[in-house]
Amino acid sequence: MTKLRINESPRPSLLATLAAAAVWGCGATTAFAQSYPITPQQRAVAQQTAQAGIPVSELAPNAPDEYTVKPGDTLWAISRLFLRSPWRWPELWGMNIDEIANPHRIYPGQVLYLDKTGGRARLTTRRGGASDGTIKLSPRTRYESMSGMALPTLNPSLIEPFLSEPIIVDEDTLKFAPHIVAGNDSRVLLARGDRAYALGDANSPLIEAAGPIKTFRVFRNATPLKDPATGELLGYEAAYLGKAQLKRSQSIQTELDKGKEVASVVPATIDIVAAREEMRAGDRLLPEPPRQLLSYAPRAPEQIIDGRIVSVYGNAVQFAAQNQVVVINKGTRDGIESGHVLAILKNGETIVDRAGAPDNTGKAVLKLPNERIGLLMVFRPFEKASYALVLEINDTPRVGDLLVNP
């Protein structure tokens, strides 16, 4: 467990701290104390922005001269406090190339000072723009555990369930996945603590292996997702029901029947260890994926994006609220990555001008302008579609609304 002596800070400068947070994010899925490589593109941006900062005109109108980081803050919220475009925080904070290989975090108690000398804006931890990397949190000497205190990029509770729960798959993924065939004691509906039986096909039977117990996520038949603009089938959204662990492999049992050997399949035994909803025969099993290091550094896509909102997560929901998850019709094949920020445009209605066309020859059909109504950030891309979190809105986004570069 990391300990911090309050009047002695082993952390590097805030520029290195925030740079690493911008590249790798700070959610629960990235809480690993180890080094990670940076890409040539990230290094190039770091080298440029560490010296340049950003124009003062890019600051938010009421950007404070100093700000003390508080528990409950997020990097996105702090960036929005200082910047008109919060996803541009690496340009404001810059990067320390020598220390970026060791991803440190920002913590409550740090004081950020806004340096606006020379018409360029930068954040530092000392007045006047100079920073020696020492951060005093209190005049008293005491010890505090730093475990869990680092600021996340976004509120982790908003997206963590979607990293392992709902998924977007092609039709065959679920069709050929193992399925539940029955519950113990003739149970029809299964919940946590129940035992059940499942069967894989001949090519992928449910077999125990050496090592940790195999864990599966349980899904129900998926809902098709279609592109609102083209009608293309983008995939199927499978509803997450819970988790099960494999307790006994499926097998082949041979018995004598009227003097003849008859082989029959014995389903595997599973125990339901977590349940979001009740499960039943026919529900499908997919292996629990390994936890992955994901980047939640909000940034604008480099390529031009012209997308749409496909669906709002939930049963028959058409409208999205702030901090709600939506599916968009762009994925990895379109160059979409985790962390990409897109602007939401309200699709202008098509109306009839009943006063007539300008030349008075008859009624005119008009399309109202598209209006920008918010921002969203992609946090889980698939091939043809992605999950995104609605970050900010000033109107109500809905299915079919347009998505463009911010």
Side-chain angles (χ1 to χ4, degrees):
M1 179 178 297
T2 303
K3 297 286 186 179
L4 173 66
R5 189 177 178 88
I6 292 304
N7 284 330
E8 300 174 4
S9 175
R11 296 190 299 276
S13 69
L14 184 63
L15 297 184
T17 297
L18 297 181
V23 174
W24 289 290
C26 295
T29 57
T30 59
F32 304 103
Q34 52 184 296
S35 297
Y36 299 97
I38 63 173
T39 66
Q41 179 185 358
Q42 290 167 341
R43 182 172 293 276
V45 172
Q47 291 170 333
Q48 177 183 356
T49 60
Q51 300 175 358
I54 68 168
V56 171
S57 60
E58 296 295 327
L59 293 174
N62 298 317
D65 291 330
E66 64 179 74
Y67 178 77
T68 302
V69 180
K70 303 186 296 293
D73 277 342
T74 63
L75 295 178
W76 177 267
I78 294 176
S79 299
R80 185 168 54 186
L81 184 68
F82 285 97
L83 291 168
R84 296 178 185 271
S85 304
W87 62 89
R88 294 184 61 184
W89 76 51
E91 298 174 53
L92 176 64
W93 284 324
M95 296 184 179
N96 186 325
I97 300 300
D98 294 332
E99 297 173 334
I100 194 172
N102 186 10
H104 297 271
R105 312 279 172 78
I106 21 183
Y107 296 87
Q110 288 178 314
V111 182
L112 312 182
Y113 296 101
L114 186 60
D115 174 21
K116 294 184 281 189
T117 58
R120 307 290 292 185
R122 302 170 186 82
L123 275 183
T124 179
T125 55
R126 282 180 72 92
R127 292 186 185 275
S131 174
D132 61 4
T134 300
I135 302 169
K136 277 189 180 180
L137 301 184
S138 168
R140 294 178 295 152
T141 300
R142 66 184 187 273
Y143 286 91
E144 286 187 359
S145 168
M146 297 304 295
S147 176
M149 290 181 62
L151 293 192
T153 304
L154 303 168
N155 185 345
S157 64
L158 299 176
I159 58 178
E160 280 181 2
F162 291 87
L163 300 179
S164 61
E165 294 187 2
I167 57 171
I168 298 173
V169 296
D170 57 39
E171 186 176 12
D172 289 343
T173 297
L174 284 185
K175 181 187 295 184
F176 296 108
H179 63 282
I180 297 174
V181 295
N184 192 28
D185 295 330
S186 301
R187 292 181 183 271
V188 176
L189 298 178
L190 303 169
R192 182 183 177 190
D194 287 342
R195 173 154 287 190
Y197 306 101
L199 191 66
D201 65 22
N203 295 322
S204 57
L206 289 171
I207 302 295
E208 291 180 279
I213 296 175
K214 285 187 177 181
T215 301
F216 294 86
R217 295 176 296 163
V218 185
F219 295 94
R220 189 147 295 155
N221 289 338
T223 303
L225 298 171
K226 291 188 176 181
D227 190 316
T230 65
E232 178 189 4
L233 182 62
L234 303 174
Y236 293 81
E237 185 177 54
Y240 170 83
L241 304 177
K243 293 183 181 181
Q245 289 185 338
L246 180 63
K247 294 301 181 182
R248 188 166 50 242
S249 301
Q250 72 182 66
S251 59
I252 303 294
Q253 180 175 307
T254 302
E255 296 179 342
L256 287 175
D257 183 13
K258 298 179 181 180
K260 294 183 178 180
E261 288 188 349
V262 177
S264 57
V265 177
V266 179
T269 301
I270 60 173
D271 285 342
I272 308 301
V273 295
R276 173 67 61 84
E277 296 181 25
E278 291 179 318
M279 297 161 228
R280 59 175 183 252
D283 290 338
R284 300 286 174 168
L285 307 178
L286 292 177
E288 177 82 351
R291 296 180 70 86
Q292 297 179 349
L293 179 70
L294 300 175
S295 170
Y296 300 130
R299 61 198 186 280
E302 295 180 1
Q303 69 280 19
I304 300 299
I305 298 296
D306 180 15
R308 288 180 182 254
I309 295 176
V310 175
S311 68
V312 180
Y313 190 75
N315 294 325
V317 178
Q318 290 292 315
F319 297 92
Q322 187 165 326
N323 295 330
Q324 195 159 5
V325 172
V326 298
V327 177
I328 69 171
N329 66 342
K330 298 296 177 181
T332 55
R333 69 173 182 176
D334 307 294
I336 288 293
E337 300 175 0
S338 176
H340 277 169
V341 174
L342 298 172
I344 307 170
L345 301 184
K346 184 176 183 179
N347 197 0
E349 297 181 37
T350 299
I351 64 170
V352 175
D353 180 8
R354 300 188 181 280
D359 57 2
N360 295 318
T361 58
K363 297 178 180 178
V365 177
L366 306 175
K367 185 181 184 302
L368 300 181
N370 299 327
E371 295 288 349
R372 178 166 170 158
I373 59 173
L375 291 171
L376 57 74
M377 187 199 78
V378 173
F379 65 87
R380 195 177 182 205
F382 296 87
E383 182 187 2
K384 300 178 182 179
S386 302
Y387 282 118
L389 180 70
V390 178
L391 296 172
E392 303 174 4
I393 56 173
N394 53 39
D395 200 343
T396 305
R398 61 177 298 165
V399 172
D401 278 350
L402 308 175
L403 303 171
V404 297
N405 296 60

